[in-house]
Each structure stands twice: as structure tokens, then as C-alpha cells.
Amino acid sequence: MMADVRLASPLMLLGLLALPMLWWLWSREWRRPVIRFSGLTVLAAAKGGGGRGWRGVLPVLRSVALACLIIGAARPQTPNASTRVFAEGIAIQMVIDNSGSMVDLDLSPPGARQTRLDVVKDVFRRFVRGDGTLPGRPNDLIGMVRFAGYADSVCPLTLDHDNLLRVLDQVEIVPRGRADEDGTAIGDGLALAVERLRDLKRTVGSGEQLKITSRVVILLTDGENNRGIVTPEQAGELAALHGIKAYTIQAGTGRVIGNPLFGRLPVEDDDLREIARVTGGRYFQATDADSLHKVYQEIDQMERTKVEERRFSQWDDWARPWLVAAFGALALQGLLDATWLRKIP
């Protein structure tokens, strides 16, 4: 669009004001020198001058050439804009309990039968991708650690959230009764997440397109620490030492006592509360799918990224086409003046 065109040297266009005068001078029939001939038969035999009626084209071509030269000297330019997005992101380690007790159905939405882990996966996906109430985390590095009797880092910190969610789909509940794998190693899970976060570079990507301003752990479990090498207290102190904030979530309505008909025993949550306190995070409790969703909404609001767009414009110079047109018009004018539109004398 014309509104996107600028002139680097707009004063050069003042030269266009001289064109009417030059046109008048070029088109005027000046008194020319004459050549005397002994007879007109010599001129009658001449083949040149056949374009007598077209000689007015020559001043037009000269005028066009001069106009193109003036416009080219004014240097018309058009923008070639580009946008780069700079984000101050957050590195988040999602630490998920996949012990045998996560098979319980007490978090199921009304009318559904979903295990605790299935409900957690569903809310996890919404937190990462976004839905009507959660905006998603497109600019955040997110990784995942799962733990039962021992902790395992199943996905490194990444911006490839599609791959992260594919890994999430593969997380399964450890079968109950597997003494070598089942259990709840909260301390080990948190310590592994801290290990993955503590050496993370503050700037990721090309240049400084993604600056990490905060490192966070979101730890979810339905039980008490009963396995592992690192205690929850030690893991919390380790996170605090490295400036890593931990949000802890106690999921479920409690531990089943033998048969579900006999009721449930409340889960001791002192460890989770202490981890949140010492790291500057918060402790949450979720007893159903809706409350778990609200927990992630609160965390989402507390840990938001800052995105900034910077626009860059590079101006492309269009002087060359005008100069080429000017020299083309001059060349055509000279060719016609020397051949078809030549005049004798």
C-alpha cells in the first residue's frame, strides 16, 4: 500500500517542477542550420525521416527519463517488517505420584469412574495446553518426574509440550503389592526435580529469546512418605537452597482402611506443608476433580510468564528500478533519434 512507502530524500522531488519548462524547450521547433542542395531529387531519394509525425515521442522519452531519474534519486523505500517474541518464562517440574494407591476412584467427576492418576493426567493436560479456564503454558519449560517406591525423570524440561503430553499418556500406576516398586518416595521425587532445575541456564534458545525468571516444582501425591533415601524435609531444604519454589498438592479423600465400606483414614500432610513453607510455595488439598482443577488455576495465576513482542523494520530501497527505467528511456530515445526518427539536417 502507498501508506507503507517512504522517500529517503523527498526534497529531490522538487526537480519534477522543472519538467514542464524542459518539455516546452524540447518540443519547441528551433531555427536549425540548413544545407543547400542543387536539386530536390537528392532528398527525394533519401529513405530517412519516415517517422516525421512521431518525432514528438522523443521529448516525451526525455521527460520520462528525467522524471525516473528524479524519483530514483528520491529513493522510494518499502518496509520489510519482522517480529520476534521475547518471553520471560518459567521452568516447571511436574512431580506426579504413580504409586498403587493412585488407582482409587475418589477423585472421579460425577458419573465417571476415573482413577486418581487419570484425573491428575486430565488436569495436567489442561494446565499445559489450556482450556476455557486455564490459558496454557506455551512459553514455559516443563518437565516431569514420576515417583512411587523410587523417583524417575521421564521427560526433561522442554518447550515441546506435545511430546511431554505423549510421555504423560504412558505413565501408569505401579501395581499394588510390588514391594520393589510400590510406595511413596516424596523426598526422592522432589530431590530429583530440584536436581533437574538447579543447573538450568537462565537463558534458553537463540540469543535471549527465552529468559527463565522462576523455577518451580508442582508436587502431587495421595499418600505419606514411606520410601526413598532423601526425606521430604531434606528435599525441601535443598529446593530452598537453590531458590526453587514448591507447590504441594495432597490429592484424594484419604487412605482406605481394609474395605472401602469401613471408611478412610486421613493422610498425614505435615511433610507437604513444611515443603511449601520452607520453599515459599503453597500447600493445597484436592478431594475431587473440580477442586484439583481449581488448585491448578490458582497456581497458574501465581506463576505467570511475561511475553514481549519486539518489531523490527528493514526498509527495501526501490531506486534501482527507477534508474533502470530512466536509462532505458534515454537509450530508446537515442536509438529512435539516430534511426527511424532521424532528421536531416
Side-chain angles (χ1 to χ4, degrees), residues 110-161:
R113 288 180 59 83
Q114 291 182 300
T115 65
R116 289 174 175 172
L117 183 61
D118 287 336
V119 174
V120 170
K121 285 183 178 182
D122 182 57
V123 178
F124 187 124
R125 292 187 194 95
R126 296 183 187 184
F127 179 76
V128 173
R129 281 185 174 165
D131 59 12
T133 56
L134 288 166
R137 318 291 300 194
N139 299 305
D140 293 332
L141 289 169
I142 304 178
M144 182 168 54
V145 171
R146 68 182 179 191
F147 69 92
Y150 61 89
D152 184 20
S153 179
V154 292
C155 184
L157 290 161
T158 180
L159 288 171
D160 185 359
H161 296 164

Side-chain angles (χ1 to χ4, degrees), residues 218-259:
I218 301 178
L219 186 153
L220 182 145
T221 183
D222 66 345
E224 303 169 3
N225 188 79
N226 55 25
R227 291 285 300 274
I229 300 172
V230 182
T231 67
E233 182 181 9
Q234 291 171 334
E237 291 174 352
L238 182 65
L241 178 65
H242 293 288
I244 297 171
K245 190 183 300 183
Y247 295 98
T248 57
I249 306 171
Q250 181 73 59
T253 56
R255 185 170 67 247
V256 176
I257 306 173
N259 190 303

Side-chain angles (χ1 to χ4, degrees), residues 19 26-27 57-67 329-330 333 337:
L19 282 181
W26 288 334
S27 62
V57 172
L58 299 179
V60 171
L61 289 174
R62 284 193 290 269
S63 299
V64 169
L66 184 57
L330 284 176
Q333 183 266 332
D337 197 24

Side-chain angles (χ1 to χ4, degrees), residues 15-328:
L16 295 175
L17 299 177
L19 282 181
M21 177 61 71
L22 292 173
W23 168 262
W24 179 77
L25 293 173
W26 288 334
S27 62
R28 185 176 179 185
E29 290 291 337
W30 293 95
R31 183 181 180 83
R32 295 175 178 269
V34 297
I35 300 176
R36 295 180 180 274
F37 291 93
S38 60
L40 296 178
T41 55
V42 177
L43 297 178
K47 300 298 182 181
R52 175 185 296 272
W54 289 89
R55 285 195 61 82
V57 172
L58 299 179
V60 171
L61 289 174
R62 284 193 290 269
S63 299
V64 169
L66 184 57
C68 290
L69 281 173
I70 293 172
I71 295 174
R75 294 177 59 201
Q77 298 176 329
T78 56
N80 181 11
S82 61
T83 301
R84 293 176 67 192
V85 176
F86 293 78
E88 292 184 358
I90 298 171
I92 304 174
Q93 275 287 359
M94 309 291 283
V95 183
I96 297 177
D97 186 345
N98 69 319
S99 62
S101 58
M102 290 293 285
V103 76
D104 205 333
L105 305 175
D106 57 345
L107 292 181
S108 298
R113 288 180 59 83
Q114 291 182 300
T115 65
R116 289 174 175 172
L117 183 61
D118 287 336
V119 174
V120 170
K121 285 183 178 182
D122 182 57
V123 178
F124 187 124
R125 292 187 194 95
R126 296 183 187 184
F127 179 76
V128 173
R129 281 185 174 165
D131 59 12
T133 56
L134 288 166
R137 318 291 300 194
N139 299 305
D140 293 332
L141 289 169
I142 304 178
M144 182 168 54
V145 171
R146 68 182 179 191
F147 69 92
Y150 61 89
D152 184 20
S153 179
V154 292
C155 184
L157 290 161
T158 180
L159 288 171
D160 185 359
H161 296 164
D162 288 338
N163 183 63
L164 169 70
L165 296 180
R166 282 194 292 270
V167 173
L168 174 67
D169 291 337
Q170 298 171 7
V171 175
E172 297 180 350
I173 298 171
V174 173
R176 281 178 170 170
R178 297 271 308 260
D180 56 332
E181 295 184 25
D182 200 8
T184 308
I186 295 175
D188 285 4
L190 178 57
L192 181 56
V194 171
E195 179 65 23
R196 294 293 181 265
L197 285 169
R198 71 183 183 92
D199 293 329
L200 178 69
K201 292 181 180 180
R202 289 292 181 175
T203 301
V204 182
S206 60
E208 290 190 356
Q209 284 182 280
L210 178 60
K211 179 181 284 187
I212 302 302
T213 58
S214 180
R215 294 173 296 170
V216 172
V217 172
I218 301 178
L219 186 153
L220 182 145
T221 183
D222 66 345
E224 303 169 3
N225 188 79
N226 55 25
R227 291 285 300 274
I229 300 172
V230 182
T231 67
E233 182 181 9
Q234 291 171 334
E237 291 174 352
L238 182 65
L241 178 65
H242 293 288
I244 297 171
K245 190 183 300 183
Y247 295 98
T248 57
I249 306 171
Q250 181 73 59
T253 56
R255 185 170 67 247
V256 176
I257 306 173
N259 190 303
L261 297 177
F262 300 153
R264 296 173 179 269
L265 183 67
V267 175
E268 180 61 55
D269 59 5
D270 288 348
D271 288 338
L272 298 182
R273 291 180 183 274
E274 179 61 17
I275 290 171
R277 186 195 67 78
V278 76
T279 62
R282 277 189 60 184
Y283 165 78
F284 300 91
Q285 190 169 19
T287 57
D288 54 36
D290 185 58
S291 61
L292 182 61
H293 189 272
K294 290 179 180 178
V295 166
Y296 277 90
Q297 280 183 295
E298 288 192 51
I299 296 174
D300 182 83
Q301 292 171 3
M302 289 185 285
E303 298 290 341
R304 290 308 304 165
T305 58
K306 177 184 177 183
V307 180
E308 175 186 358
E309 281 191 354
R310 299 182 190 176
R311 296 185 179 274
F312 302 87
S313 293
Q314 178 180 352
W315 292 87
D316 296 327
D317 205 312
W318 291 92
R320 179 177 294 181
W322 290 97
L323 296 178
V324 170
F327 287 114

